Amino acid sequence: MRLLLLFAALLAGCAATPPAQTPPPQGSAPVEAAPPASLGVPAAPAAAAPNPAVERLMASARADVAASRLGSAEATLERALRIAPRDASLWQQLARVRLQQGQYQQAESLAARSNTWAGGDNALRAENWNLIAQARDARGDSEGARAAQQNAERYNR
Amino acid sequence: MVRRRRYWPYIRIGLLALALLAAGYVLYLDLRVRHEFEGRRFALPARIYARPLEVHVGLKVPEDDVVRELRELGYRAVARPDGSGWYVRNGAELEIAVRPFVFWDGPQPARRLRVSFAEGAVSALADAQGAEVALARLEPVPIGGIYPTNNEDRLLVRLSEVPKVLVKELIAVEDRNFYSHWGFDPRGIARALLSLPTGHVQGGSTLTQQLVKNFFLSPERTLRRKAVELVMAVLLELNYSKQEILETYLNEIYLGQDRDRAIHGVGLAAQFYFDKPVQKLTAAESALLVGLVRGPGYYDPYRHPQRALERRNLVLRETRDEGSISAAEYQAARARGLGLNPRPSTGTTPYPAFVDLVHRQLRHDYDEDDLRSEGLRIFSTLDPRVQAAAEHALSDRLAAFDRQGRFGKPGLEGAVVVADPQSGEVQALVGGRDPRYQGFNRALDAERQIGSLFKPAIYLTALQDPSRYTLTTMLDDSKFVWQPPNAEPWRPENYDKQYHGQVPLYLALAHSYNVAAARLGTTLGLDNVFATARKLGIERALPPYPSTLLGAANLTPLEVTQMYQTIASGGFRSPLHAIRDVTTADGHPLKRYPLAVAQAFPPDPMYLLTAGLQDVVREGTAQSLANWLPPLGVAGKTGTTNEQRDAWFAGFTGARVSVVWVGYDDNRPARLLGATAALPVWGQMMAALEPEPVAFPQPEDIEQATIDPQSGLLADSSCPGAIELPFVKGSAPQARAPCAGNPVVDNVKGFFQHLFGH
């Protein structure tokens, strides 16, 4: 029995290993020509080196939101997204601003956009699903909101 | 006598009526003069700007391109310690004195920047004191305007801004008694008549009369018109001060032609001829402008420099004779060259196709009259670097075809659209082989069959159902006949006239097999495929025939770009747009065009489709892209239509989506393939723009499997040409390909490698 448990543990260990061993992101590496060829270059991780320009704009957008200057926050976040279009947290911020502006459809799409760039950041994903739930709720789609809320909880675990 | 007495009362009444009529007419003219003079604000064209360059560390841009943009902005390559608007280049470091500018989000003061470059990117950014700067925005390049119907352009100036010497010169030459007459000048007329044979410069009209003529009257020359002009001139003088009349004159006067753009007023003329504000004009420069009043075409300093110089010197001499400048000033001014701004003329815009798009999008929100007269400031999405790359690539490739000599006259035409897939911002638009030509805008208006560019809509429809379709699902590329009720049967053929039997879906896409695609599309149902096309952004109603599956629908390059934007963004459709912000002439924000996205498709099928489109480039019809671009996982699709009338390429890198069309305007067969005519344009352009790899994050529900292309089944290292393909989890083939080794042995080997190998 103990042996069996040990074996199971080993297997579990093996099963757990592959995700950690997936090839490193090929952000800049060319697609290999030698077989097996690989399509679909995985994304550069969301948590790339922080860009001071983006950080400055992000801070400015936060200040705008705090002062209820939503139009200004929106413009600043769009400016930041032109510099770092793959920054999941920028998309999320913009989704949040749209939610506050009452543009629920946009908020939902932007949060979904953020999810596509979220990589392994489960907290960010959970928050995106939260935003989607709020947006759906505000639109009167309570069933959709519940489903989104469940997704949020799944990532929060 | 009796008779006379009898008629006299009638004559008197008649005369009285005549006098009343005349008085009424004068009153009417007076009303008109006052109404138009006061109500009239000069029509100011809407000004359109390119996107501002945002400089930050890591920005991929060669130093040369930044310098080119500064030169386009009129920056001089000389340091002027007090001023702005210049740059100095020290090897890999660029010092820039950025001018102040009023952006849509407020004014930005002048500032000094030091930008360092390394390996084609910005490596450091600091201010004059050496302190780090996170982000700096340069002024946006003005790229054109939306002009009043007669294409009048002007920059308004106040009389106080105009140099005194310019006013003195104007008065000396055009109207010596300006300050003393009542709108007309008998002495001037007499002098003009007397001096007619001697070629004296003076004309008979006062400045007031000239203004009236330009302002209110048609150009015909009749006695009646002359009389009305005289009356109106007097009325103008009665109603307004000399200063007001002079200021209006200085802004109204026509001073030159820049292709289709009419240069009005001394403010714009100063900028156009000398690239400086009116305040900075010297006596010689302003004398040139004053000399132009009589005939901007005849004395055009660019085309007739000698004539213009003589005219200028005549103006200077008259001014000296009037005692308005000293003999020494005269000598100094006379000794100067013309000192013209060497910039080539651009007309209303160097980018007519793009400005056309801006104009059309503005019409949704603004009155045409307001656009042409309110001086709105339009901040557009044009990226001059991308535009230049697109123009060069198209003209280079078309010139290469011209040299082959088999394409006749008029030659091949083309169009290019480039957009940012994340936002839908249009970065560049080329409407034909001559990008400066303001005519037929093929990027927006050429409705052409799109051929195989439509196929992604079919495959995307299929891939949305992973229980039935994966990238390796075998499709049937054998002979296919579609028999609609009461119509001719449809027999699609492949380009190579061959049938390829059973083919995995991804290879049918890569090699653009028509028969497999047609069969798949009809199996899925035309309505379903068309619904996908609509969600991809094709708003036009598609012809309800199966031939539409193979691209028998006419679309414009811009419409196709919208479709591929949705694909390039992973299923998030953003309406293509060319405007970011609009402000009033004085910088007050009017309207934003915010980033808008709509999730049209879930991530999984988009990821699969993109992998398929990447394989088009890796081993399919777009393989030759390798001649231009390194393997970056670029995704794309070639398109060629019946009898090769249209050559298309649509594709995307990590940062840009673009569509290229090449063909004849009259739709005759061009005998060119998408891969040989349109793809090279695309490749050359993208290669010039620091292409980034396509980086789609792999969705959580996607896994990779190694596939044997022959069987579409699982492969291992012993299978030749095996390829790794994405699958929605659980949809990958379970069976192993014949070439693959024994699964059990393999698994056990893997298990022991895990245990002991690492």
Side-chain angles (χ1 to χ4, degrees):
Chain A
M1 185 66 193
R2 200 181 287 166
L3 203 71
L4 206 68
L5 274 177
L6 184 70
F7 193 65
L10 260 175
L11 274 179
C14 293
T17 334
Q21 286 190 339
T22 42
Q26 299 185 341
S28 57
V31 177
E32 286 172 33
S38 165
L39 296 169
V41 182
N51 180 331
V54 173
E55 282 184 351
R56 208 202 79 188
L57 292 171
M58 188 80 142
S60 153
R62 275 200 205 96
D64 283 337
V65 170
S68 301
R69 291 186 304 257
L70 295 180
S72 175
E74 160 197 301
T76 306
L77 287 169
E78 286 179 24
R79 200 176 156 196
L81 275 169
R82 282 182 209 114
I83 297 170
R86 298 172 190 178
D87 187 326
S89 58
L90 286 175
W91 287 103
Q92 183 177 81
Q93 275 285 17
L94 191 55
R96 198 172 284 128
V97 169
R98 289 280 189 265
L99 191 68
Q100 288 185 40
Q101 289 172 323
Q103 300 194 32
Y104 304 121
Q105 195 84 55
Q106 281 300 316
E108 182 172 346
S109 276
L110 289 164
R113 195 88 187 89
S114 174
N115 267 338
T116 65
W117 298 114
D121 190 340
N122 283 344
L124 194 87
R125 283 177 189 273
E127 179 54 20
N128 282 330
W129 282 111
N130 257 327
L131 289 169
I132 292 172
Q134 288 174 54
R136 288 179 179 169
D137 207 34
R139 280 213 319 271
D141 173 11
S142 48
E143 200 176 315
R146 235 184 339 267
Q149 201 52 54
Q150 278 166 9
N151 274 329
E153 279 154 22
R154 187 157 64 86
Y155 285 109
N156 255 336
R157 256 179 250 145
Chain B
M1 208 55 198
V2 174
R3 265 170 80 119
R4 208 166 154 192
R5 207 177 299 146
R6 193 185 296 160
Y7 287 110
W8 181 235
Y10 298 104
I11 294 170
R12 273 207 327 213
I13 288 170
L15 283 176
L16 197 68
L18 217 66
L20 272 174
L21 220 66
Y25 187 61
V26 171
L27 222 63
Y28 156 75
L29 286 182
D30 183 58
L31 215 68
R32 211 180 131 200
V33 163
R34 280 189 298 156
H35 177 260
E36 298 213 11
F37 197 82
E38 264 154 46
R40 175 141 177 171
R41 277 165 303 144
F42 282 106
L44 291 180
R47 297 202 185 282
I48 305 174
Y49 296 91
R51 61 91 191 92
L53 187 64
E54 301 259 18
V55 184
H56 57 90
V57 170
L59 176 71
K60 281 190 187 170
V61 61
E63 188 175 8
D64 284 350
D65 285 15
V66 177
V67 168
R68 189 170 309 125
E69 186 148 341
L70 291 171
R71 292 165 67 126
E72 258 185 81
L73 283 163
Y75 280 48
R76 309 283 173 111
V78 198
R80 286 184 300 156
D82 304 332
S84 56
W86 53 265
Y87 65 92
V88 175
R89 207 171 168 168
N90 302 312
E93 198 193 274
L94 194 59
E95 186 176 1
I96 313 174
V98 181
R99 292 190 198 123
F101 187 83
V102 180
F103 283 91
W104 56 90
D105 54 3
Q108 180 179 289
R111 73 188 301 189
R112 202 73 69 81
L113 290 177
R114 288 173 199 275
V115 193
S116 307
F117 294 84
E119 292 160 20
V122 174
S123 58
L125 182 63
D127 65 14
Q129 284 71 44
E132 240 176 72
V133 172
L135 181 63
R137 193 159 54 174
L138 302 186
E139 286 166 73
V141 176
I143 57 163
I146 295 167
Y147 292 86
T149 19
N150 44 9
N151 277 342
E152 276 184 35
D153 194 8
R154 53 168 56 79
L155 283 174
L156 289 186
V157 294
R158 320 279 333 167
L159 185 59
S160 56
E161 296 169 319
V162 178
K164 295 248 171 356
V165 66
L166 189 153
V167 174
K168 286 177 185 166
E169 287 163 343
L170 179 72
I171 285 170
V173 185
E174 292 294 329
D175 187 0
R176 284 187 203 170
N177 304 314
F178 174 71
Y179 287 113
S180 56
H181 63 58
W182 284 72
F184 68 101
D185 183 14
R187 281 170 298 172
I189 294 170
R191 200 166 50 236
L193 287 174
L194 283 175
S195 63
L196 217 53
T198 65
H200 192 77
V201 290
Q202 181 105 29
S205 295
T206 63
L207 293 182
T208 321
Q209 282 171 297
Q210 290 181 33
L211 185 58
V212 163
K213 194 161 50 185
N214 292 349
F215 240 36
F216 305 110
L217 302 171
S218 57
E220 91 235 37
R221 295 186 139 181
T222 62
L223 209 61
R224 184 181 158 272
R225 209 214 63 167
K226 199 78 193 158
V228 172
E229 176 189 302
L230 207 89
V231 175
M232 285 178 109
V234 174
L235 290 171
L236 206 60
E237 294 272 351
L238 286 173
N239 281 308
Y240 302 101
S241 72
K242 291 282 179 190
Q243 303 303 316
E244 286 168 310
I245 291 169
L246 191 59
E247 184 175 276
T248 309
Y249 180 94
L250 289 168
N251 281 307
E252 165 56 33
I253 190 72
Y254 169 60
L255 289 171
Q257 194 68 30
D258 171 26
R259 291 193 181 200
D260 58 337
R261 182 171 70 130
I263 308 295
H264 282 258
V266 293
L268 183 62
Q271 190 200 66
F272 175 67
Y273 290 109
F274 303 110
D275 191 22
K276 51 166 77 170
V278 71
Q279 295 95 314
K280 300 274 175 72
L281 288 181
T282 64
E285 288 162 346
S286 46
L288 184 92
L289 298 189
V290 167
L292 286 169
V293 168
R294 268 301 126 104
Y298 187 77
Y299 297 112
D300 182 341
Y302 288 105
R303 281 187 299 155
H304 311 291
Q306 190 55 36
R307 204 184 275 169
L309 191 75
E310 284 165 14
R311 173 79 191 164
R312 181 200 76 180
N313 292 344
L314 186 66
V315 170
L316 288 169
R317 198 170 66 233
E318 298 260 329
T319 313
R320 179 203 58 187
D321 293 351
E322 279 290 289
S324 297
I325 55 172
S326 70
E329 284 168 326
Y330 166 70
Q331 286 303 340
R334 214 191 123 85
R336 289 182 169 239
L338 287 177
L340 290 174
N341 167 22
R343 261 195 300 172
S345 71
T346 53
T348 46
T349 172
Y351 310 118
F354 184 86
V355 165
D356 185 16
L357 177 64
V358 170
H359 193 174
R360 290 186 204 196
Q361 296 194 336
L362 284 171
R363 270 191 218 136
H364 289 298
D365 301 306
Y366 295 92
D367 248 19
E368 187 68 21
D369 281 350
D370 290 349
L371 289 177
R372 294 183 186 279
S373 66
E374 294 296 314
L376 300 180
R377 298 161 81 234
I378 317 291
F379 294 95
S380 83
T381 58
L382 181 98
D383 186 326
R385 295 185 60 227
V386 182
Q387 178 71 25
E391 288 177 3
H392 287 154
L394 184 65
S395 58
D396 282 4
R397 305 320 304 175
L398 292 183
F401 285 125
D402 286 348
R403 282 195 297 275
Q404 291 178 19
R406 66 181 176 102
F407 292 97
K409 297 254 173 195
L412 285 165
E413 272 295 351
V416 186
V417 183
V418 189
D420 173 0
Q422 305 297 331
S423 61
E425 289 190 344
V426 179
Q427 297 178 330
L429 199 78
V430 189
R433 62 157 55 213
D434 177 2
R436 308 284 162 263
Y437 173 69
Q438 305 212 2
F440 185 44
N441 190 346
R442 290 162 194 84
L444 307 188
D445 295 325
E447 296 176 6
R448 308 289 298 218
Q449 295 214 344
I450 65 166
S452 303
L453 294 196
F454 187 78
K455 282 178 185 155
I458 305 174
Y459 290 108
L460 180 55
T461 309
L463 292 170
Q464 285 180 81
D465 182 358
S467 66
R468 288 172 66 204
Y469 294 100
T470 69
L471 286 174
T472 54
T473 301
M474 284 295 173
L475 299 182
D476 184 2
D477 191 66
S478 63
K479 194 172 177 190
F480 175 59
V481 181
W482 171 260
Q483 179 62 65
N486 315 319
E488 286 288 294
W490 181 57
R491 295 188 179 84
E493 285 184 340
N494 284 320
Y495 173 68
D496 60 5
K497 308 286 181 205
Q498 308 285 311
Y499 298 100
H500 307 90
Q502 295 288 309
V503 190
L505 184 148
Y506 80 96
L507 283 180
L509 173 60
H511 298 305
S512 205
Y513 293 148
N514 287 336
V515 184
R519 185 180 269 115
L520 175 62
T522 51
T523 307
L524 295 165
L526 288 189
D527 287 347
N528 291 328
V529 176
F530 289 1
T532 301
R534 240 185 332 274
K535 283 206 279 178
L536 282 171
I538 299 180
E539 289 173 4
R540 187 189 293 255
L542 295 168
Y545 311 112
S547 56
T548 301
L549 294 171
L550 299 184
N554 288 344
L555 296 178
T556 66
L558 190 75
E559 287 175 301
V560 177
T561 311
Q562 180 71 71
M563 171 180 174
Y564 279 80
Q565 179 276 324
T566 308
I567 300 173
S569 64
F572 291 86
R573 188 180 62 241
S574 289
L576 294 183
H577 60 284
I579 309 162
R580 289 180 184 170
D581 289 272
V582 178
T583 77
T584 59
D586 52 4
H588 177 72
L590 278 184
K591 186 169 169 65
R592 289 203 70 236
Y593 292 78
L595 174 67
V597 300
Q599 186 168 21
F601 298 94
D604 295 353
M606 298 312 299
Y607 191 81
L608 302 180
L609 177 66
T610 300
L613 292 172
Q614 287 176 307
D615 199 54
V616 172
V617 176
R618 198 183 69 87
E619 62 174 327
T621 54
Q623 273 177 73
S624 57
L625 208 52
N627 295 336
W628 283 274
L629 293 174
L632 295 161
V634 171
K637 187 74 198 77
T638 55
T640 310
T641 59
N642 282 345
E643 300 181 70
Q644 305 179 9
R645 294 171 197 275
D646 304 276
W648 291 93
F649 189 75
F652 50 96
T653 64
R656 286 180 236 286
V657 56
S658 172
V659 171
V660 175
W661 168 83
V662 173
Y664 285 114
D665 278 346
D666 61 9
N667 208 20
R668 69 179 183 268
R671 315 226 174 283
L672 283 169
L673 302 177
T676 50
L679 179 149
V681 177
W682 199 96
Q684 182 184 330
M685 170 184 72
M686 287 299 187
L689 293 169
E690 303 86 32
E692 285 185 34
V694 170
F696 266 9
Q698 181 168 313
E700 292 172 294
D701 285 343
I702 295 284
E703 62 185 3
Q704 302 280 337
T706 306
I707 297 298
D708 162 42
Q710 305 303 317
S711 60
L713 301 177
L714 286 181
D716 69 5
S717 52
S718 52
C719 288
I723 180 171
E724 196 171 289
L725 287 174
F727 292 87
V728 174
K729 274 181 186 160
S731 72
Q734 303 294 310
R736 300 180 69 85
C739 54
N742 186 321
V744 179
V745 173
D746 218 45
N747 273 357
V748 170
K749 203 166 84 187
F751 175 65
F752 279 99
Q753 263 173 2
H754 268 305
L755 271 185
F756 307 111
H758 302 285

